[in-house]
Amino acid sequence: DTFNHMASDIERHVENLKQAATENHELFVGSIRMLSAAIDEKDPYTQGHSGRVAKYASLIAEQLGLNPEEIDRLRIAALLHDVGKIGIDDRVLKKPGRLTDEEYALMKQHTIKGANIMRPLAKLKDVLPGIELHHERMDGKGYPHGLTANDIPLMARIISVADTFDAITTNRPYQSAMDMDFAVERIRALADTNFDPNVVLALEAAIQAGKLRLNPTLVEV
């Protein structure tokens, strides 16, 4: 019942987003923030996750020299990267232990589900790669399509690093929050296999410049 009630609330947010897309940009972005917050509220361990990922991704993008329009699209994609979790049953989404193969297969569907939910909104066409492809890996062992290296859009490669950075540095059912140095070391060790090395370098540069700081209470950008 709780899951159905939350899903209903989120569906209303999606309808509001569609309406806002035809009005003004400020209302549109505000609706996206509300939708991402509603998704994160499904699980107390992910509260504020989408906002932090959007902030970290934006700082990485600035370090890479992306222009303001590209960063704006990236920010929206990052805010919505987990929207497909609307369609994942809470028994799987909130399971504290290791997922079975069947449960993991269901969890992986959130990328496709998210892209399909947002696809009818023409204004979001350019952010769909960040939603659908942020779990692809450089070595082709990611999902949903098994893309490799530069076949993965830069938007998705940036969100992948930002998403992992936040997951490592916040409390989750399967681990306690780790510090920034541990997170960077772990991500660096997975450059070339999981992550774009240039994006990893940009993450490190943003941290060293003092621009990227841990902010577990951040809920929006």
Side-chain angles (χ1 to χ4, degrees):
D1 287 344
T2 301
F3 174 80
N4 290 336
H5 179 70
M6 179 65 79
S8 178
D9 286 345
I10 292 172
E11 286 172 5
R12 284 196 293 272
H13 280 301
V14 173
E15 289 305 313
N16 290 339
L17 180 59
K18 291 178 181 178
Q19 181 177 350
T22 64
E23 296 178 9
N24 63 66
H25 185 71
E26 184 177 349
L27 178 59
F28 177 67
V29 174
S31 297
I32 287 172
R33 287 173 175 161
M34 287 189 291
L35 175 58
S36 68
I39 299 300
D40 290 349
E41 284 290 338
K42 288 190 68 178
D43 185 346
Y45 282 97
T46 60
Q47 188 173 17
H49 169 68
S50 296
R52 291 190 300 271
V53 171
K55 181 64 174 179
Y56 300 152
S58 298
L59 291 170
I60 292 169
E62 289 175 8
Q63 201 68 41
L64 288 168
L66 273 64
N67 64 49
E69 185 177 333
E70 291 171 322
I71 293 173
D72 189 52
R73 287 197 296 266
L74 172 65
R75 182 180 295 112
I76 291 172
L79 283 168
L80 293 173
H81 78 283
D82 276 343
V83 68
K85 289 182 177 178
I86 292 172
I88 305 300
D89 194 295
D90 275 9
R91 289 173 295 179
V92 175
L93 192 62
K94 297 183 180 181
K95 183 177 178 179
R98 184 180 179 85
L99 298 180
T100 66
D101 290 344
E102 182 180 359
E103 289 168 340
Y104 185 53
L106 291 173
M107 179 66 84
K108 290 195 294 184
Q109 292 177 12
H110 81 274
T111 55
I112 296 290
K113 288 178 181 290
N116 288 340
I117 289 168
M118 295 294 106
R119 188 165 281 112
L121 280 71
K123 195 168 182 177
L124 292 178
K125 178 183 67 174
D126 292 336
V127 310
L128 292 179
I131 298 171
E132 184 172 356
L133 305 175
H134 66 277
H135 280 293
E136 298 286 359
R137 291 175 31 157
M138 296 293 284
D139 62 5
K141 295 181 180 178
Y143 62 87
H145 305 303
L147 302 180
T148 60
N150 290 332
D151 289 336
I152 306 168
L154 179 59
M155 173 186 290
R157 284 179 268 150
I158 292 173
I159 293 175
S160 177
V161 170
D163 186 29
T164 302
F165 181 80
D166 187 64
I168 295 174
T169 55
T170 53
N171 289 318
R172 296 298 174 95
Y174 49 83
Q175 70 168 34
S176 297
M178 303 297 180
D179 63 25
M180 185 182 294
D181 289 342
F182 179 91
V184 171
E185 183 179 343
R186 179 62 179 157
I187 291 170
R188 187 191 299 124
L190 295 172
D192 289 318
T193 56
N194 292 47
F195 308 118
D196 181 339
N198 291 328
V199 175
V200 175
L201 288 174
L203 169 70
E204 294 185 61
I207 291 171
Q208 290 168 3
K211 298 177 181 178
L212 195 158
R213 300 182 179 90
L214 292 184
N215 190 355
T217 61
L218 179 69
V219 295
E220 64 179 30
V221 295

